[in-house]
Amino acid sequence: MASSLHHLRVRVLLLLVALCLVLVSGASAWPSWPWRGASAGGRHDYRDALSKCILFFEGQRSGRLPASQRAAWRGDSGESDGRAAGADLEGGYYDAGDNVKFGFPMAFTTTMLAWSVLEFGDDMPREERRHAEDAVRWGTDYLLKTLAHPGVIFMQVGDPWKDHKCWERPEDMDTARTVYNVSAGRPGSEVAGETAAALAAASMVFRDGGDREYAELLLANAKKAFEFADTYRGAYSDDPDLRAGGCPFYCDFDGYQDELLWGAAWLRRASGEDAFQEYIQINGKTLGAEDNSNEFGWDNKHAGLNVLVSKEFIDGEALTMQSYKESADTFVCTLIPESSSPHIEYTPGGMIYKPGGSNMQHVTSISFLLLTYAKYLDKTSHTVNCGDISVGPDTLRLQAKKQVDYLLGDNPMKMSYMVGYGDRYPQRIHHRGSSLPSIKSHPERMGCKDGTPYYDSSSSNPNPLVGAVVGGPGEDDVYEDDRADFRKSEPTTYINAPLVGVLAYFVGNPDPGHVKH
């Protein structure tokens, strides 16, 4: 009997080993499947990740820092920004690892922070929601300043070419703080339209939070920015002087038309006014609303626009918006490997991948749209039809979860791409302030080239920018942790902003198979 049991155990063990070998060999047969390569280990601490994700924005602050500043290694910077142009442009955020304030991505960052709070704020612990609202306000306070002078909208502070020749702390900046603005003669509808979207979205955050006076101020200025964008139509990158400052860093590659629709959509949601819905209906076709795109980020708003506008159709409040629901469905189907649609590319480890660098911006923004669309679909019987298959909200949530889990460490490198989260994360991020001695520990001024030895060093950054999500690995899932490789190692505000909402959702719903309705 004992001998028979022994042989049975051996046979079972051999079968298990064979099954494992089949699964391992089969993994390479499905390189584009987005759920492969993820660890089946313990759950992630989404609350810790959310806290760190929001804290990151304090490390990106420009201007005089408040007493509540938690990223204590930072100091005041850019206090005289705008003065040469007769304006007060103190505040706002540095976009990435440099010391320039680019208005276009900053406005998008603010929109996504606000949208994160609007959709998933109820899943945030109370303290984290307060910090998230502080991050929104730091952006909107600055954006209001960019609209404070009649006839112009200030879109940028800092000469990026001179800034990028230096490796110095923001507290020591001695490069030209050149001010760029758009006007009737030099239009910038994408900047103005995104500013309108940011202020409109944020107005709802503060209205819900009880600060109605500030909310009304934001909404009034959102309408002002939108009117400017629509009246003086054009792209800032078509103007030689503005192009010299904004390109190639944040050139308007996809045109300004999507920002006009995006701004109108947010004003419709924030104000409830029919005029903005009519604007979308009348102008949608001429402004490219039918241009399906599986991209969403600081430059291209189409996928986000379709998800946002489709809400009213799904809720049964605007049946004329059916085409936006159909376009949102088309976007979702490109993410489902089983569908017959052309697919977004995935790395062998399962990460959404788009060529061009700073890839995590696609991971976080697309994951946000998946969760938001799933939320909208949840309230009705609507599903997504992808050829022969029908996709429901739970599938979208699982897609998003696999992406965020990859980011947090379930990947071939077994590495978190958020600084400070997990046991292994990037140590040498491409970020001036993080890589140089803090002004608190090294108060002596460091000039333009004084930081070069630190840039060239293989040592870890002395000031961890906690919560920063780097651009991430390439199409082969490899990450070298090289400060000089900015496409992979540089964090940006617009990577983190949508991730705030994604992480908040998973704080409240860590298992997408058992969703709280």
Side-chain angles (χ1 to χ4, degrees):
M1 182 71 173
S3 177
S4 297
L5 284 172
H6 172 73
H7 287 301
L8 179 61
R9 288 171 183 149
V10 170
R11 289 176 67 187
V12 170
L13 182 61
L14 289 172
L15 282 170
L16 288 173
V17 170
L19 179 61
C20 288
L21 289 172
V22 169
L23 289 174
V24 170
S25 64
S28 62
W30 296 314
S32 65
W33 185 259
W35 303 335
R36 306 195 73 82
S39 168
R43 287 183 174 178
H44 285 287
D45 187 343
Y46 297 116
R47 180 167 181 166
D48 180 54
L50 172 65
S51 177
K52 290 178 165 68
C53 186
I54 299 170
L55 176 61
F56 158 77
F57 290 94
E58 295 192 16
Q60 296 299 111
R61 283 172 170 171
S62 181
R64 282 167 286 189
L65 303 179
S68 59
Q69 173 80 8
R70 295 175 295 159
W73 54 274
R74 281 294 321 281
D76 298 342
S77 64
E79 297 168 74
S80 61
D81 278 357
R83 191 173 297 169
D88 171 14
L89 296 176
E90 181 189 351
Y93 292 110
Y94 302 116
D95 72 299
D98 53 24
N99 300 323
V100 182
K101 295 192 302 202
F102 293 97
F104 191 21
M106 194 195 306
F108 176 70
T109 292
T110 306
T111 305
M112 294 310 298
L113 280 170
W115 201 3
S116 290
V117 175
L118 289 172
E119 298 293 353
F120 305 112
D122 290 345
D123 291 316
M124 297 179 185
R126 182 177 299 177
E127 184 178 8
E128 297 309 332
R129 178 162 182 160
R130 179 172 57 82
H131 290 315
E133 290 178 0
D134 287 345
V136 175
R137 190 184 290 264
W138 196 268
T140 54
D141 281 351
Y142 176 79
L143 293 176
L144 288 173
K145 292 180 178 183
T146 68
L147 299 171
H149 290 247
V152 300
I153 296 179
F154 294 104
M155 59 164 281
Q156 184 174 318
V157 180
D159 183 323
W161 297 101
K162 294 178 180 177
D163 177 272
H164 287 185
K165 289 179 181 177
C166 297
W167 196 261
E168 61 183 346
R169 304 176 298 199
E171 294 85 356
D172 290 328
M173 277 188 296
D174 55 4
T175 52
R177 302 301 286 169
T178 308
V179 175
Y180 301 83
N181 67 66
V182 297
S183 61
R186 298 193 301 183
S189 295
E190 63 284 271
V191 176
E194 187 62 63
T195 299
L199 297 178
S203 73
M204 289 184 282
V205 170
F206 295 107
R207 188 166 62 211
D208 291 347
D211 192 344
R212 297 194 65 85
E213 184 177 352
Y214 189 60
E216 291 304 316
L217 176 66
L218 294 177
L219 185 56
N221 277 273
K223 293 178 179 179
K224 174 181 171 183
F226 180 76
E227 183 179 1
F228 187 99
D230 191 42
T231 303
Y232 309 114
R233 293 189 181 187
Y236 71 82
S237 52
D238 289 340
D239 179 88
D241 291 335
L242 298 179
R243 184 180 181 84
C247 295
F249 312 101
Y250 293 103
C251 249
D252 177 14
F253 298 102
D254 288 303
Y256 63 83
Q257 292 86 350
D258 52 331
E259 276 80 29
L260 289 176
L261 293 171
W262 179 241
W266 275 111
L267 278 162
R268 162 64 178 172
R269 184 160 171 179
S271 70
E273 295 177 15
D274 291 339
F276 294 109
Q277 185 181 32
E278 291 167 5
Y279 180 94
I280 295 169
Q281 291 172 330
I282 294 170
N283 295 281
K285 195 163 189 174
T286 57
L287 293 178
E290 296 176 357
D291 296 345
N292 282 327
S293 171
N294 58 12
E295 187 171 339
F296 179 54
W298 58 265
D299 187 29
N300 190 323
K301 308 304 184 315
H302 282 290
L305 171 71
N306 292 328
V307 168
L308 179 66
V309 175
S310 68
K311 182 180 188 298
E312 284 199 80
F313 172 78
I314 292 171
D315 291 345
E317 296 172 3
L319 299 182
T320 55
M321 297 300 184
Q322 182 175 353
S323 64
Y324 290 88
K325 163 72 165 62
E326 293 168 353
S327 294
D329 287 355
T330 300
F331 158 69
V332 166
C333 291
T334 68
L335 298 163
I336 308 298
E338 298 164 304
S339 78
S340 57
S341 303
H343 297 142
I344 281 179
E345 184 179 348
Y346 290 91
T347 65
M351 176 184 67
I352 288 171
Y353 180 76
K354 286 179 173 288
S358 193
N359 186 70
M360 281 298 175
Q361 66 180 304
H362 307 300
V363 171
T364 61
S365 62
I366 288 175
S367 295
F368 180 91
L369 291 185
L370 286 171
L371 291 177
T372 301
Y373 202 45
K375 178 182 176 182
Y376 296 167
L377 294 172
D378 239 352
K379 296 180 179 179
T380 68
S381 58
H382 283 277
T383 57
V384 179
N385 294 314
C386 299
D388 296 332
I389 62 170
S390 181
V391 178
D394 286 349
T395 300
L396 306 190
R397 294 189 186 98
L398 187 57
Q399 286 275 40
K401 187 175 189 298
K402 293 303 179 182
Q403 292 303 307
V404 73
D405 286 353
Y406 180 107
L407 186 156
L408 294 176
D410 292 357
N411 55 64
M413 298 290 291
K414 303 301 180 189
M415 182 179 199
S416 160
Y417 292 109
M418 175 186 285
V419 174
Y421 178 85
D423 297 326
R424 185 167 180 246
Y425 50 81
Q427 302 290 323
R428 290 171 285 277
I429 69 172
H430 183 96
H431 190 279
R432 287 157 177 76
S434 173
S435 68
L436 296 169
S438 168
I439 195 168
K440 305 294 178 66
S441 62
H442 187 284
E444 293 80 17
R445 186 181 175 281
M446 300 180 70
C448 171
K449 298 296 184 182
D450 291 344
T452 303
Y454 295 92
Y455 174 82
D456 293 334
S457 169
S458 60
S459 299
S460 299
N461 287 10
N463 310 303
L465 181 55
V466 174
V469 177
V470 295
E475 58 187 329
D476 55 1
D477 293 301
V478 174
Y479 184 81
E480 294 87 359
D481 200 11
D482 178 3
R483 189 178 295 116
D485 188 357
F486 65 89
R487 289 181 177 83
K488 293 184 176 181
S489 63
E490 188 171 20
T492 72
T493 57
Y494 46 87
I495 293 177
N496 272 63
L499 186 60
V500 169
V502 173
L503 291 170
Y505 173 79
F506 287 116
V507 167
N509 305 273
D511 183 354
H514 297 84
V515 179
K516 296 188 303 185
H517 295 290

